[in-house]
Amino acid sequence: MDGIPVDVFGRPMGALRISLTDRCNLRCRYCMPEEEYAWLPREDLLTFEEIERLTEAFVSLGVDKVRLTGGEPLLRRGLPELVRRLAGLPGVKDLAMTTNGVLLAKHAEQLREAGLHRLTISLDTLRPERFSALTRRGTHPDVLAGINAAVATGLTDLKIDTVVMRGFNEDELVDLIEFGKNMSAEVRFIEYMDVGGATGWTPEKVFSRKEILETLAQEYGPAEELRKTDAAPADRFVLPDGTVFGIISSTTQPFCATCDRSRLTADGMWLRCLYAMTGTDLRTPLRDGASLDDLRDLITGIWQQRRDRGAVERIGQRARGQVFVSLENLKRDPHLEMHTRGG
């Protein structure tokens, strides 16, 4: 099979996000507003061998960027072994992981030794009381310890992701930039998104890309946008002092036209868009004995039919008052929630 598959809009298949578990040790109000959910049955979760097999199929079609997500991926036992397996696949040029950092101090050294290339840590506030209010957990010191451990271990190209919410943490943008400098980490500010069951979302709480840039300009002077060289979701900017940061503005300025990412849930559901309501079950054909060529053909055929432009379509849905997935539907189908599909 020649060439990387492209969809109906000419978008190549480029990056794969793999959720390792739907469980999480935080309850962030923008991601998991409820304490309990309809969890994926444990027997349905892909084994490390199955994850490796599916990743091999995607990589053989041209995917070269793989990111491990959750839920919280560090809750998956034996994670360094999976990292070793995936890092060893020919064609995987970039193996990254997104974590909330709570357990990172215990695992940073093993992950680096296993071959993890890059790490992104979620940190929405530097203030412990705000962290507790947002996550309903008191583990802020553990997250900071995890970041320090990643730096000490030598995990380079460290990124810190911050969801910016008006009335909560928009007054910490400068503090977070300075924290990133001290950690040699690139901060990426994310507009608050109305995804899954984010029942606390309102348009008024969105602190936009424009406002983020204006806020930082008051402290540092105007930022210059860097030329984009890939299909990554963040637009990158450089401050007058040379500090680079990113903004993911999928709420006000969707980037669907260049999106090359898809997501594999922990139980093998393949989603071609963060906002998708349905996906393709890859676990069943895999367990039924599908060969590598069978999987390649299945993946290629589906990607070539891809029409997803979820963030753009969401703008119209907001205008019609169709925003949230109801809690009833979330409990009926756990694949609809962000902690299952990997954000």
Side-chain angles (χ1 to χ4, degrees), residues 297-309:
D297 289 343
L298 174 60
I299 292 166
T300 296
I302 292 172
W303 185 269
Q304 289 173 338
Q305 300 173 46
R306 177 190 186 228
R307 298 178 170 275
D308 300 86
R309 297 184 309 127

Side-chain angles (χ1 to χ4, degrees), residues 22 37-41 265 267 328-341:
D22 58 333
Y37 290 86
W39 307 111
L40 298 175
T265 66
D267 65 342
E328 179 182 347
N329 285 336
L330 287 173
K331 289 187 174 180
R332 184 181 302 120
D333 183 359
H335 296 101
L336 296 174
E337 188 53 278
M338 290 306 106
H339 64 84
T340 301
R341 55 181 59 195

